[in-house]
Amino acid sequence: FVEAHFIRDSVEQSLGIGFDGKNRRVHYNATQFQSFSHVLGILPSVLYSPKDSALISGSPQERRRFLNIQLAQTDPLYVHHLMRYHKAMKHRNALLKIKSEQAIESWEQMMSDSARYLMHRRKQLIDALRPKVEAYAHFLSGDQDTFDLHYEPSISLKKQDQIEVLYRKQRPKELIIGSTLIGPHRDDLHIIYNKREAKSFASEGQKRTCIAALKMAEWDELKMQTEVTPLFSIDVFGVHLDPTRTKILQEKLSSFGQVLLTSPEENESGTLYIEKGKLLQKIP
């Protein structure tokens, strides 16, 4: 069980999440929830961890997750359409698997309406992050390399008004395969280095610089959209970047409000030992 106490809108609040091995419990102040979707955005935060390398080297699913988490913290309507889209697609896929077209058009209409909103908001976010990523990348590296973000929707943005028609045209093929082949669940975000795909053409150091810049840009955009200072959490501080860039990042952190970090190295702040929820020892 973990709980955060914080002040927002001049009111003391609490947000807690627990798991007893069987059931998950989420509470916001005195209200209990079964799903995280109800509390997204209450405590805006950015997590920067070694796993973020998957944003460049991993599957499109990792990059869609990045977009979804960022947008879910600022736009409740995005959460609504994301859940609505996947619910409708689940029903459509069930019909495709049994080779039935009964009532399939109603699910396609629902998917189309939500897909348009999801695509529109994803493009807006990427357009907003693009200049911030480049600025932070230059701040960290100090060179003239260029970094860019490119949104690749499964359905062309120029055909947003024809999504239902496209689903209808795809239906014969998808009845054979048994699943939906186009839509926001197949979107991707490309991270570009010097006008080429970072995944294939950037060095490890350049990739790490880009990820750090993307996380700082994420924090910047989240602050602007929510008008509160988000938490910035860094897991395993010091392993993401080389020593020079780590020092630059460390100096910048003072402007990021409250920062939570873990580190594999002891420092002047001391070390805390915790076992079963109790503080056992503190070494100065």
Side-chain angles (χ1 to χ4, degrees), residues 32-46:
Q32 298 284 338
F33 298 102
Q34 295 298 318
S35 170
F36 288 117
S37 62
H38 297 286
V39 298
L40 288 168
I42 289 173
L43 188 59
S45 61
V46 171

Side-chain angles (χ1 to χ4, degrees), residues 45-277:
S45 61
V46 171
L47 173 62
Y48 176 26
S49 80
K51 292 181 180 180
D52 289 324
S53 60
L55 291 173
I56 290 180
S57 60
S59 68
Q61 182 179 0
E62 298 288 343
R63 292 180 284 277
R64 287 193 299 272
R65 184 173 180 272
F66 165 78
L67 296 173
N68 289 340
I69 289 175
Q70 179 74 356
L71 286 163
Q73 293 192 78
T74 61
D75 185 356
L77 192 55
Y78 183 88
V79 179
H80 164 75
H81 279 292
L82 187 64
M83 295 175 69
R84 186 172 181 260
Y85 176 83
H86 281 282
K87 178 182 177 181
M89 184 174 66
K90 181 179 178 181
H91 284 285
R92 184 177 189 267
N93 286 345
L95 291 172
L96 293 173
K97 282 182 172 64
I98 62 172
K99 308 284 190 287
S100 172
E101 297 182 67
Q102 185 176 0
I104 199 170
E105 289 185 0
S106 62
W107 298 118
E108 289 174 350
Q109 181 181 359
M110 189 181 295
M111 289 173 65
S112 300
D113 291 341
S114 291
R116 277 187 281 271
Y117 189 84
L118 298 176
M119 292 163 64
H120 170 68
R121 291 295 285 119
R122 286 175 179 179
K123 184 180 185 303
Q124 276 189 329
L125 174 61
I126 291 168
D127 288 345
L129 289 174
R130 184 177 292 116
K132 293 180 172 69
V133 169
E134 183 148 17
Y136 276 121
H138 286 164
F139 170 77
L140 288 168
S141 61
D143 53 37
Q144 298 303 308
D145 292 337
T146 62
F147 294 88
D148 198 3
L149 303 176
H150 174 68
Y151 178 39
E152 185 182 8
S154 169
I155 298 172
S156 170
L157 293 170
K158 296 178 181 178
K159 297 181 178 180
Q160 289 185 69
D161 296 332
Q162 307 169 37
I163 296 179
E164 283 183 69
V165 175
L166 293 174
Y167 279 132
R168 192 159 54 247
K169 286 183 177 179
Q170 283 282 109
R171 209 185 295 160
K173 182 196 293 187
E174 292 171 341
L175 282 165
I176 297 172
I177 296 172
S179 65
T180 302
L181 299 177
I182 59 171
H185 65 291
R186 301 293 292 269
D187 287 357
D188 200 358
L189 164 66
H190 293 282
I191 299 175
I192 308 298
Y193 167 72
N194 283 349
K195 299 182 179 181
R196 298 193 293 183
E197 192 84 27
K199 183 176 183 178
S200 303
F201 296 98
S203 68
E204 287 304 311
Q206 290 158 345
K207 289 177 183 177
R208 291 181 179 186
T209 297
C210 192
I211 293 297
L214 183 60
K215 286 293 165 176
M216 288 192 284
E218 180 186 359
W219 182 93
D220 231 19
E221 182 64 15
L222 196 55
K223 182 181 180 182
M224 190 181 77
Q225 292 293 329
T226 61
E227 298 183 347
V228 299
T229 303
L231 293 176
F232 198 109
S233 301
I234 304 178
D235 187 23
V236 199
F237 183 78
V239 305
H240 301 273
L241 301 166
D242 61 45
T244 300
R245 289 177 174 81
T246 296
K247 186 176 180 181
I248 294 172
L249 174 60
Q250 188 168 358
E251 291 171 354
K252 180 67 176 175
L253 290 181
S254 60
S255 65
F256 277 80
Q258 186 170 359
V259 178
L260 305 176
L261 59 86
T262 63
S263 172
E265 300 177 355
E266 293 189 16
N267 55 54
E268 64 274 10
S269 300
T271 303
L272 301 178
Y273 291 89
I274 298 173
E275 184 175 308
K276 296 182 180 179

